[in-house]
Amino acid sequence: MIHFVLLISRQGKVRLTKWYSTYTQKERTKVIRELSGVILTRGPKLCNFVEWRGFKVVYKRYASLYFCMCIDQDDNELEILEIIHHYVEILDRYFGSVCELDLIFNFHKAYYILDEILIAGELQESSKKTVARLIAAQDSLVETAKEQASSISNIIAQATK
Amino acid sequence: MNPFSSGTRLRDMIRAIRACKTAAEERAVVRKECAAIRAAINENDQDYRHRNLAKLMFIHMLGYPTHFGQMECLKLIASAGFPEKRIGYLGLMLLLDERQEVLMLVTNSLKQDLNHSNQYIVGLALCALGNICSAEMARDLAPEVERLLQFRDPNVRKKAALCSIRIIKKVPDLAENFINPASSLLKEKHHGVLITGVQLCMDLCKVSSEALEYVRKKCIEGLVKTLRDIANSPYSPEYDIAGITDPFLHIRLLKLLRILGQGDADASDCMNDILAQVATKTESKKNAGNAILYECVETIMSIEDNGGLRVLAINILGRFLSNRDNNIRYVALNMLMKAIVVDAQAVQRHRATILECVKDSDASIRKRALELVYLLVNESNVKPLTKELIEYLEVSDQEFKGDLTAKICSLVEKFSPEKIWYIDQMLKVLSEAGNFVKDEVWHALIVVISNASDLHGYTVRALYRAFQTSTEQESLVRVAVWCIGEYGDMLVNNVGMLDIEEPITVTESDTVDAVEVAIKRHTLDLTTKAMALIALLKLSSRFPSCSERIKDIIVQNKRSLMLELQQRSIEFNCILQKHQNIRSALLERMPVLDEATFSGRRAGSLHTAISTSTGAPHNLQNGIAKPAAAPIADLLDLSSDDAAAPSSSGGDFLMDLLGVDLSPASAPSGTSQPPKAGTDVLLDLLSIGTSPPAQSSSSASDILSSSQDNKAPLANLNGLASLSSLPANATSPASPVPMMDLLDGLGPIPQKHEENGPAYPSLVAYESSSLRMTFNFSKQPGNPQMTLIQATFTNLSPNVYNDFLFQAAVPKKSLVMRIRIAYKMNNKDVLEEGQINNFPRDL
């Protein structure tokens, strides 16, 4: 299974973390620091796999962001590379040429999308189209709710409470 | 609108934080925001709860504490609206972890949401549950999730499947409930449901053998068909990745088939065809295809043997090895390591490529390849492989040298066909990377050298040559110095020349030069210098004409700040000046070190009976430094060595022999305590009545007194028994070992009786069934008040005695002596006590 997902910028800033195994807050900070050190210092020509504490960490760099996923020894590293790419492509379609800034200001949306791709550290959906459709449906639910809340009748109702 | 709401919108806060130039500024902004959020929480603000939680999550990601926001998550989850629940569940997953008790409070909301009419809300609940539920929550909500495995919407079904995985991992007992619904998921068409259903079945089979049986019986054919369908399916834009339809599904199916086929021949048979098809037809130009091939190879290697498939698999790995992509090569090396167990022959065929990988520029690949090469070595290929590895050693970088050296040494030791090849390879390694070689390794080398008596000449000449060029490799210097000391005469006289050797002219003076270089180099290496001193002493015996020069070199260390060197220097100087008559006997060629014993010792058994020393206490052979049964050594309180030995590896045995046990840590506090206590007892009994010894001319005592210039206390004991315990002598662990034993072994008895005064008959002072102690008396010519007693111990049993300790006490008035002897026989402590009343009257 995937134990956790980390998105780190080139400067070591954390953009997204998702934990599928139990790590306390303290342990999480430690892990992030350790892995950042290991991964950010690796040369560009090296393979995308790092052995770490008995696990394997697969990482791939997209522009200024490192996408890292920690897996078990007997998992398929090459597949994880594909999963990372799957996620990036979906983000790209959603945000339209996604860049790091998008993920900073819309971190919650990045999380929502990740939650449509992975649950319990396992892959949930292999179709980018399906994921996009589900996200769109939920976004529109949110839009509808917002519209309702700011509709004139609602404002009047609030004011006269 | 609530007039007390926190004003900033999420994106404004983020902008403000990013604009901060210093950490202090950022802290200030965050503090302000947190204060506002706290106020809003206290007010129970509804309208901005959503936005406040989003802000809190961002602040959390920066690393600040946000536990005050945890209850807000719960309130949002309990709200009616979808947006609130969505952010609430996200906050829950980010700010909490399963160990927190607050989590339990969500169980009720979760239950309600799992039954919601809005399938997206059900989805939110399943997602949160699947990511962070605890075991109790899992137990509580399992029935709901089980039911949802058959929900009308595939989106919910697939989430329920993954959620079930967490549930059965947390509570394995519940697994049986999920077997049926899970296996029906396998018949679905929706890819998302298939993928998650397959994954669920995999985890079920891992957790429950019942599930494994069931799935194996009922579902294999269906799975094989599904895999065949997907492998043969035409282009599908929705699922296509690099020309392959849904590689993720391919991979999951292959994984499940692996679990089902392992250990079951029938199941394995079912899948042979499809595995062959996948292995041969999958395109390997892109990562997706390679990922499938990788999984396929894993499956083939794990299920029951089908010769043809295995060959196919290993060929795929062979192709992977030559792929330009680092990732593929890495993965191939990994797989090959597992494949070796199954089919070593096939892997051997790719040895050349693997060897190339050892030289790869990627550190992870080099490491893997080296491990793999290590597994591939056998008697027939050890020579060429070692040659390649040593060649690479010369160009490899520093971080890798350590690993590489260790592996080469290990290989050479395990598989060397002849001693001369072993010695050659080890010399090459020492010359190239001696500083990375561990102590046990060069100790082992010396043992082998000493055993290869026909190669002594060859070895010392080779070492001499190597020494000229690689003086910065410490281990090489040590081995060279030892050999030059031992076999210096062979070096000078070209003894034992082999056909392959070229003659070399080395004069006696040259050998001394070499050892002098070792001593004088600007390193603080205690071991090397100490070994060099002994080597010089040996050379002085082999080449008496160089004695003067050697004496000069040795004397330079007389004032060394390192006690060990100082001690040796003084003692050896003493031998050179005053004891030429015993010197040659002292420094005869060392006896062969017993290889079996040495490797036994190395394996960690410290109390192995040393074959050379059963029975006879006096080993008059030179150089057997610490037979455990040599009582005299322990009288000198070298039992501190035995105390030290347990704490280090068995290499100590050899260390002692080389006169190299220089672990300062073992010296002070710990080891000196036990003997010290004993001596205090003696002191009490003695009530410090007797006078300290005058300068005795016994050579043994000389060494004692000279080495204790600074140790005043207990000098009285010296008077009574010339070789009694000296616990205060705590700081020099084992140093005079070889010297002491050699001298004691020779025994100054005859000389004493000549040089000193009247002779007295020797006395059997103590005898038991296992031990006899004999006293020999002598007096110095000018000092009738003082008697020197030499105690000789004879081991009367066939066992070996270790940790030998002799204590003696004499009261003021009468001429009796109480003795206590403690030792270990076969690891059991033995204590013997007695009283000696029968001293000669006229003493």
Side-chain angles (χ1 to χ4, degrees), chain B residues 169-184:
Chain B
K169 277 188 183 166
K170 289 284 165 195
V171 191
D173 302 333
L174 294 173
E176 335 173 305
N177 305 351
F178 289 91
I179 298 180
N180 270 318
S183 43
S184 28

Side-chain angles (χ1 to χ4, degrees), chain A:
Chain A
M1 68 180 275
I2 297 173
H3 291 283
F4 54 83
V5 177
L6 289 181
L7 261 66
I8 332 182
S9 77
R10 293 262 307 143
Q11 291 79 37
K13 290 244 163 80
V14 175
R15 298 301 175 206
L16 186 149
T17 64
K18 189 85 187 183
W19 306 83
Y20 298 108
S21 284
T22 322
Y23 288 84
T24 62
Q25 298 296 340
K26 262 205 191 122
E27 286 165 354
R28 291 180 191 189
T29 332
K30 194 157 173 271
V31 165
I32 294 174
R33 205 174 334 126
E34 250 183 68
L35 270 182
S36 304
V38 170
I39 290 178
L40 294 174
T41 50
R42 269 176 77 84
K45 299 266 182 60
L46 303 182
C47 66
N48 295 80
F49 316 125
V50 173
E51 315 235 340
W52 175 80
R53 287 200 198 175
F55 296 110
K56 292 196 269 209
V57 176
V58 181
Y59 70 95
K60 192 130 192 261
R61 183 171 157 209
Y62 288 87
S64 57
L65 274 180
Y66 285 87
F67 285 69
C68 317
M69 294 194 179
C70 173
I71 53 175
D72 292 317
Q73 281 291 346
D74 50 3
D75 283 333
N76 184 336
E77 303 96 310
L78 300 179
E79 192 201 10
I80 301 296
L81 280 175
E82 287 302 319
I83 293 181
I84 292 178
H85 195 71
H86 188 52
Y87 182 38
V88 171
E89 283 208 332
I90 295 175
L91 284 173
D92 200 51
R93 276 192 216 187
Y94 182 78
F95 287 105
S97 291
V98 66
C99 62
E100 193 181 339
L101 227 48
D102 288 322
L103 299 182
I104 294 172
F105 282 93
N106 295 294
F107 63 92
H108 48 303
K109 300 207 177 142
Y111 275 106
Y112 294 145
I113 294 175
L114 185 60
D115 282 338
E116 291 297 330
I117 297 177
L118 297 176
I119 286 184
E122 301 290 354
L123 184 67
Q124 195 192 145
E125 180 58 67
S126 53
S127 157
K128 301 190 226 307
K129 193 164 125 196
T130 310
V131 173
R133 199 169 33 83
L134 289 168
I135 293 285
Q138 293 178 78
D139 281 349
S140 79
L141 276 184
V142 173
E143 279 307 313
T144 321
K146 244 197 237 167
E147 274 163 29
Q148 266 190 347
S150 53
S151 76
I152 306 218
S153 51
N154 214 316
I155 294 178
I156 296 176
Q158 288 277 30
T160 55
K161 232 192 255 187

Side-chain angles (χ1 to χ4, degrees), chain B residues 590-609:
Chain B
M590 280 182 78
V592 167
L593 305 166
D594 184 21
E595 276 182 295
T597 313
F598 179 67
S599 36
R601 265 290 184 121
R602 267 181 87 185
S605 47
L606 290 160
H607 293 292
T608 320

Side-chain angles (χ1 to χ4, degrees), chain B residues 553-565:
Chain B
I553 302 175
I554 290 184
V555 148
Q556 283 167 32
N557 282 286
K558 235 178 159 166
R559 293 185 187 282
S560 165
L561 289 173
M562 289 181 262
L563 186 64
E564 183 61 35
L565 298 182

